[in-house]
Amino acid sequence: MTRTPADLSPEDIAAVRSWVIHEDPHVIAFNKPSGLSSQGGRIQAHTLDDLLWAFARSNGKRPELVHRLDRDTSGVILAAKTKPAAGFLGKAMQARRFKKTYLALLSSAPEPASGTIDAPLLRQEIGRESYMRVVAPDTPGAQAALSRYRTLAASEDGALVELDPATGRMHQLRVHMASIGRPLAGDARYGGALTFAGRPASRLMLHASKLVFPHPEGGYRTLEAEVPADFEALKVAAGLATVA
């Protein structure tokens, strides 16, 4: 499929280049900001996929995203720079050889402080929006989903939690945490509070902080992305210790 290069402004190009956290001959990785769709959003604005045209080579080829993040989730996202790398990473993703770690802010710490959520999910379309909900295992169309969580810091104002999705379902971490009564701060879709530590939580407080993946050259690579300033500010406001 031939795609027309996006018409990018100098500001677009400068922005996407500023998000690069790793680049080598095979892959390029970004710290995606919240509010930017990975691909194909309905909003008439550039997606990260569009912005990858800023890295197009003279032969017209450009990096291809290996996976996605929800529009409102920030953090590490990986793209392949060559067709062989895309094939290698696509197979590795299917084989679940990627390990993703997220950070989230919650209004209160989970009980127990760490655990595993093994709850199938079902996708539903409501109007023009897609939602996921926890269902019984024998529900037609149900997808197995497994998440792990661990509380890193907690105070009277909230908690900082590390999340590890063993499977990659849409909205998985958001729905799983809501299912145990701990929706993510700022997640209006799944019942999260729109304030945190007395301040506005104006967007989903979920950040893809670390990605470990097999590299086309061999071995594994670990990439980390700093949390955005608004996430850090809320964390500090709640008196939650900074993670080393």
Side-chain angles (χ1 to χ4, degrees):
M1 181 177 68
T2 301
R3 282 180 289 184
T4 304
D7 184 14
L8 303 181
S9 69
E11 292 77 17
D12 292 329
I13 294 170
V16 70
R17 290 190 181 281
S18 75
W19 304 332
V20 175
I21 55 175
H22 173 83
E23 184 173 9
D24 63 42
H26 305 277
V27 300
I28 185 169
F30 305 87
N31 185 354
K32 185 187 82 68
S34 174
L36 176 69
S37 293
S38 298
Q39 289 178 314
R42 291 195 316 273
I43 298 172
Q44 293 303 306
H46 287 315
T47 64
L48 180 57
D49 195 47
D50 295 331
L51 293 172
L52 292 180
W53 284 108
F55 304 92
R57 302 195 299 276
S58 57
N59 62 3
K61 302 292 185 182
R62 51 144 207 165
E64 299 286 343
L65 290 175
V66 176
H67 60 113
R68 297 187 185 194
L69 290 176
D70 288 349
R71 183 171 67 91
D72 293 327
T73 303
S74 57
V76 182
I77 188 166
L78 187 66
K81 293 176 68 175
T82 67
K83 194 166 185 177
F88 173 87
L89 293 166
K91 289 176 182 176
M93 177 75 77
Q94 289 182 336
R96 296 185 181 174
R97 295 175 65 199
F98 280 55
K99 178 174 171 50
K100 302 173 186 177
T101 303
Y102 292 75
L103 296 175
L105 296 176
L106 313 180
S107 295
S108 58
E111 297 176 2
S114 62
T116 299
I117 304 170
D118 185 356
L121 299 175
L122 181 68
R123 182 169 180 152
Q124 290 187 313
E125 305 295 329
I126 302 176
R128 298 179 64 191
E129 299 292 336
S130 297
Y131 294 78
M132 299 292 271
R133 66 183 179 94
V134 170
V135 295
D138 59 353
T139 302
Q143 298 177 308
L146 181 71
S147 303
R148 300 179 184 90
Y149 70 88
R150 180 168 70 100
T151 303
L152 300 178
S155 71
E156 291 183 358
D157 287 319
L160 174 67
V161 176
E162 181 181 271
L163 302 173
D164 169 17
T167 51
R169 309 305 182 194
M170 185 183 83
H171 300 173
Q172 174 180 316
L173 296 174
R174 299 163 64 181
V175 178
H176 271 175
M177 295 309 293
S179 76
I180 63 168
R182 295 296 187 272
L184 277 54
D187 191 2
R189 178 172 297 202
Y190 294 110
L194 300 184
T195 59
F196 185 83
R199 298 187 178 194
S202 57
R203 56 101 174 168
L204 173 68
M205 289 297 151
L206 180 63
H207 178 69
S209 60
K210 184 164 71 172
L211 177 66
V212 181
F213 66 99
H215 194 274
E217 289 183 348
Y220 279 77
R221 299 288 193 279
T222 299
L223 301 177
E224 298 190 60
E226 291 185 2
V227 297
D230 58 350
F231 190 111
E232 182 68 22
L234 289 184
K235 184 160 70 78
V236 170
L240 303 172
T242 301
V243 182

